[in-house]
Amino acid sequence: MHTSPLSRRTVLAGTAAAAALTATPALQGRTSAAEQPPSPTYRWRTAVIGGTGFVTGVLFHPTVRGLAYARTDIGGAYRWDDRTARWTALTDHLGWDDWNLLGVEAVAVDPAHPARVYLALGAYSQSWAGNGAILRSEDRGATWARTDLTVKLGANEDGRGTGERLLVDPRDSDTLWLGTRHDGLLKSTDRGATWKAADTFPAAPNPTGQGVTLLVAAGRTLYAGWGDSDGTTASANLFRTADGTTWEPVPGQPAGTAAKVPVRAAYDRHTRELYVTYANAPGPNGQSDGSVHKLATTTGKWTEVTPVKPGGTTQDGSADTFGYGGAAVDARRPGTVVVSTNNRWAAVDTLYRTTDGGRTWTSLKDSAVFDVSETPFLKWGEAAPKFGWWIQAVAVDPYDSEHLVYGTGATLYGTRDLRRWAPQIRGLEETAVRQLISPPTGEAHLISGLGDIGVMYHERLTASPSRGMATNPVFGSATGLAQAALRPSYVVRAGWGDHGNGAFSRDGGRTWAPFAAQPAIAKDAPGPIAANADGSVLLWSFVHWDGTKHPAHRSSDNGATWTEVPSFPKGATPVADPADPAVFYVYDTDAGTLLASTDGGRTFTARATGLPSGDSQFKVVAAPGRSGDLWLSAKWNGLYRSTDGGAGFSKIDSCWASYTLGFGKAADGADYPAIYQVGSTGTITAVHRSDDGAKTWVRINDDAHQWGWTGEVITGDPRIHGRVYLATNGRGIQYGEPV
């Protein structure tokens, strides 16, 4: 199994966005959206990669053939259409102020009313994040009504693969239950419009715990898993109610489970048995022990049916530690159940399937044949794909016993015969995007730097890159990506790699080679990188994952040797002048100072001072083909421009906030490149384009296409006027074109 930082995806992806947004001032007295110039009509699509993020839950509708829903930790929710074999994104309408709601804690459907679907949204429960919300739909997610909660949810925190934590009561479709992490069990009697605490639920809320980990109906009885048991025999981690009012601990809970977390549960209506998976941590990381038990709901008898107990050793002597995660029953075949292991790094995770109620199990990994030709990145630079990791979402199609799907930290696999597997991921894109380049020449119009899966070379936007993630070396998260403006065949990248954290390409990003050497700090703190205009000089900045900043280094021999640059602000982002190879720029966000180098990055001296400071996400971008033409996006402090290499900056009056900015091909007859910006000209933060050097702007996205937080990077296509590429924090790469 690939074990780079990629496979141990950070829980707090997007926290930089969180910190940035919490300080946004109230939008008072701004120009209204109606006063903005008319917007051109744009068509927005997602550049195809194929998943790339953690699919935390999959739910087939029990009474509608071919209908299913999927949830992700930071990329929203999706609906599956079996006829077209595609997922449709359901939450792209959530905008800038609702970035926290792109994390989906739970999904619920109503078996009696197939068009109804409910989402529990909220990525983080920390103080800097907003409260959660419930979305309610009567048309399978085509339109939504919204209820804002008074509590926080945690769809991108530990335990995000447990569940589901949201349930429609089988006795009454108007009644919904919501299990929270820190505020106990909530109940709604008006289909999610209002909520109040279920006062009879016996477990006490824990401000730092897991709370309710799952809700499941077994006939007319409801069960709730509890993730905060104190581990004593007197404590309980599974509760039930038979009347929807009074909750009680389930009697006779199995020995050894009191200190574990109930991760998932599935009910076999034919045998009236409830299967529960347990682990000694909520996951997806940190699990080293677990078990599977079933409860005969009519007699109260518990039976352990664990396929393989953790704690053995592999052939090479490694400890075979893991927990259990997903659980799904076959609605058509009594006693047929599938469970997943999780966090099993030594022997690699698998699915176990039983057809006799857990007496015997078969590992589906042992006979699995994978076809990842549609999403080649899933090979992770190796000869063949692995079965996957972070497997907590497992589902069996209630109308097809051999249609089984399971989620991983990077995709959703499906089979129709329990042997041949392929990604079942079309339409679902969950990448957190960090860098974008649109080259002026060559085969690819786009090269991307991504969280978790490194760098991609996009020959086409409608198919997953044929080379998969960039190799030699393989990276996890990309931290830097740059192209020499006067020599676009030369590209460099930086990130968390298995065999070196920096690489270069001489063919525009098609193939790569590692730098011959790297500064010692690069191993632990790879950061942004820049190449000067002709590719003869590299500047590499270093920032540890915990935020610690380190001195930048310079190389003039393609990474064979490196020299520290003391005058470069630690941890800052280098910017190359696109026309003059001797010139670099850097913005010291701590001091609010623009510094420049005219000796190829050897030394930097201050130019403009007194600029906005205090935020590491302020960005300087150089206009293409011009020397000294710099633009500073200073978030709610506004947009600034310098035409003299940073000696002086003037504030742009046409917008009051600018979060990220980029350039594309000029409009016909225009003498300046098209400018694309995520910013604010009125009351909302949106995507804008200017064809007149930022004198005026038009909004080019719409209310249905907002994708939460989009403040990382934006760039236009230098070959196609109007085409723009936009990075999102969980919805992949969005690209728009005028129609």
Side-chain angles (χ1 to χ4, degrees):
M1 176 57 62
H2 192 73
T3 56
S4 75
L6 158 70
S7 58
R8 303 180 186 275
R9 181 179 181 179
T10 177
V11 171
L12 296 179
T15 53
L21 288 170
T22 52
T24 305
L27 310 184
Q28 301 294 327
R30 304 296 181 184
T31 304
S32 70
E35 294 173 301
Q36 297 182 48
S39 299
T41 302
Y42 257 66
R43 179 186 182 187
W44 288 93
R45 289 173 285 183
T46 307
V48 175
I49 302 175
T52 73
F54 187 21
V55 179
T56 52
V58 179
L59 185 63
F60 279 102
H61 199 285
T63 61
V64 179
R65 183 187 294 270
L67 176 62
Y69 296 91
R71 62 178 168 95
T72 65
D73 52 3
I74 61 170
Y78 297 80
R79 181 185 64 244
W80 174 256
D81 183 347
D82 210 36
R83 181 181 56 84
T84 61
R86 290 190 62 84
W87 295 97
T88 298
L90 301 178
T91 48
D92 284 354
H93 65 283
L94 295 170
W96 182 269
D97 293 335
D98 288 324
W99 63 269
N100 188 53
L101 302 184
L102 265 291
V104 185
E105 184 86 292
V107 180
V109 297
D110 186 343
H113 298 86
R116 292 180 185 170
V117 61
Y118 302 88
L119 304 178
L121 308 179
Y124 302 105
S125 61
Q126 280 78 14
S127 60
W128 41 258
N131 291 336
I134 300 294
L135 293 188
R136 321 182 310 273
S137 177
E138 300 279 346
D139 52 15
R140 302 185 183 183
T143 60
W144 297 97
R146 171 172 164 175
T147 294
D148 290 323
L149 298 173
T150 59
V151 303
K152 298 177 186 295
L153 304 181
N156 195 37
E157 298 177 352
D158 285 348
R160 58 197 186 275
T162 66
E164 296 294 321
R165 302 181 192 234
L166 184 64
L167 181 69
V168 176
D169 195 310
R171 294 173 297 252
D172 178 11
S173 290
D174 288 348
T175 299
L176 273 70
W177 301 86
L178 173 63
T180 73
R181 292 167 178 266
H182 311 308
D183 298 277
L185 182 65
L186 306 184
K187 183 179 181 179
S188 172
T189 57
D190 53 11
R191 299 210 299 274
T194 61
W195 294 84
K196 63 180 181 179
D199 295 331
T200 62
F201 190 71
N206 184 335
T208 61
Q210 279 291 310
V212 179
T213 59
L214 64 88
L215 292 166
V216 64
R220 295 174 64 83
T221 299
L222 308 184
Y223 291 82
W226 184 250
D228 298 331
S229 169
D230 61 16
T232 66
T233 56
S235 66
N237 57 16
L238 196 67
F239 299 88
R240 70 183 181 190
T241 180
D243 59 9
T245 300
T246 303
W247 289 83
E248 64 176 359
V250 176
Q253 295 184 35
T257 63
K260 294 185 175 70
V261 176
V263 177
R264 293 271 182 168
Y267 179 63
D268 187 333
R269 60 183 176 85
H270 300 289
T271 64
R272 298 185 181 180
E273 293 173 321
L274 181 71
Y275 292 81
V276 185
T277 59
Y278 293 89
N280 63 339
N285 289 320
Q287 297 174 337
S288 60
D289 192 14
S291 58
V292 183
H293 298 261
K294 70 175 181 179
L295 170 66
T297 60
T298 55
T299 66
K301 178 184 177 181
W302 284 92
T303 305
E304 182 172 1
V305 291
T306 306
V308 173
K309 291 189 177 182
T313 57
T314 62
Q315 290 183 346
D316 65 1
S318 300
D320 188 19
T321 59
F322 56 92
Y324 279 92
V329 299
D330 186 337
R332 302 172 66 85
R333 296 179 179 177
T336 299
V337 185
V338 179
V339 299
S340 70
T341 65
N342 189 66
N343 207 47
R344 192 181 194 183
W345 297 103
V348 182
D349 281 303
T350 186
L351 302 182
Y352 287 107
R353 182 174 183 263
T354 180
T355 58
D356 55 15
R359 288 188 293 274
T360 61
W361 296 85
T362 300
S363 171
L364 297 184
K365 177 182 67 178
D366 298 342
S367 60
V369 177
F370 283 89
D371 178 4
V372 297
S373 57
E374 191 168 306
T375 52
F377 80 90
L378 289 169
K379 291 184 179 180
W380 310 116
E382 301 176 5
K386 303 297 185 183
F387 200 79
W389 76 98
W390 285 13
I391 304 175
Q392 293 188 292
V394 178
V396 178
D397 189 334
Y399 289 90
D400 182 351
S401 295
E402 295 190 344
H403 182 200
L404 171 63
V405 297
Y406 70 93
T408 77
T411 193
L412 187 73
Y413 281 116
T415 181
R416 299 281 181 167
D417 61 8
L418 302 180
R419 186 179 69 88
R420 292 172 295 179
W421 298 85
Q424 189 172 310
I425 203 71
R426 292 179 186 173
L428 196 161
E429 300 286 349
E430 202 206 345
T431 322
V433 185
R434 298 293 176 249
Q435 296 93 22
L436 295 172
I437 292 174
S438 185
T441 61
E443 175 188 25
H445 280 250
L446 183 66
I447 307 172
S448 60
L450 312 168
D452 296 342
I453 56 171
V455 168
M456 294 277 189
Y457 178 90
H458 303 258
E459 306 98 327
R460 293 187 293 158
L461 301 175
T462 55
S464 188
S466 65
R467 292 169 179 80
M469 57 194 300
T471 59
N472 195 27
V474 171
F475 281 0
S477 292
T479 60
L481 180 65
Q483 185 173 45
L486 300 179
R487 185 185 163 199
S489 61
Y490 185 76
V491 188
V492 292
R493 61 185 172 101
W496 296 95
D498 282 349
H499 303 286
N501 289 355
F504 68 94
S505 172
R506 298 190 189 278
D507 55 13
R510 291 166 57 89
T511 61
W512 297 87
F515 295 143
Q518 65 179 24
I521 191 59
K523 179 181 178 181
D524 299 317
I529 194 168
N532 71 341
D534 63 8
S536 62
V537 177
L538 304 177
L539 280 182
W540 196 355
S541 185
F542 300 100
V543 183
H544 195 270
W545 62 267
D546 65 4
T548 304
K549 301 174 182 179
H550 302 273
H553 285 67
R554 174 185 185 273
S555 176
S556 58
D557 52 14
N558 196 40
T561 60
W562 297 87
T563 304
E564 185 177 319
V565 184
S567 55
F568 187 98
K570 291 181 179 180
T573 299
V575 177
D577 189 282
D580 188 341
V583 177
F584 284 95
Y585 309 98
V586 61
Y587 191 66
D588 185 341
T589 57
D590 292 333
T593 299
L594 189 287
L595 296 91
S597 170
T598 58
D599 57 6
R602 292 180 180 86
T603 60
F604 284 80
T605 57
R607 291 190 173 176
T609 61
L611 295 167
S613 62
D615 194 313
S616 63
Q617 292 188 332
F618 293 165
K619 299 177 176 70
V620 169
V621 181
R626 291 159 169 79
S627 184
D629 191 349
L630 306 178
W631 296 74
L632 167 63
S633 290
K635 303 172 78 167
W636 52 84
N637 295 287
L639 177 64
Y640 298 77
R641 183 187 182 190
S642 172
T643 57
D644 55 11
F649 279 84
S650 299
K651 192 170 186 179
I652 303 298
D653 293 331
S654 58
C655 64
W656 68 268
S658 179
Y659 297 93
T660 188
L661 181 141
F663 299 91
K665 184 179 180 180
D668 289 344
D671 60 359
Y672 199 80
I675 307 175
Y676 299 91
Q677 177 188 236
V678 176
S680 302
T681 63
T683 58
I684 61 173
T685 299
V687 185
H688 298 89
R689 189 186 84 214
S690 174
D691 289 327
D692 57 9
K695 295 182 179 67
T696 61
W697 301 89
V698 291
R699 183 186 179 192
I700 58 174
N701 72 323
D702 53 58
D703 289 349
H705 300 89
Q706 299 195 75
W707 317 285
W709 188 77
T710 53
E712 188 72 28
V713 64
I714 190 172
T715 189
D717 193 306
R719 290 177 268 181
I720 302 173
H721 174 254
R723 181 188 283 181
V724 59
Y725 306 98
L726 176 67
T728 75
N729 190 51
R731 272 293 286 127
I733 303 164
Q734 301 295 326
Y735 70 101
E737 297 177 292
V739 294

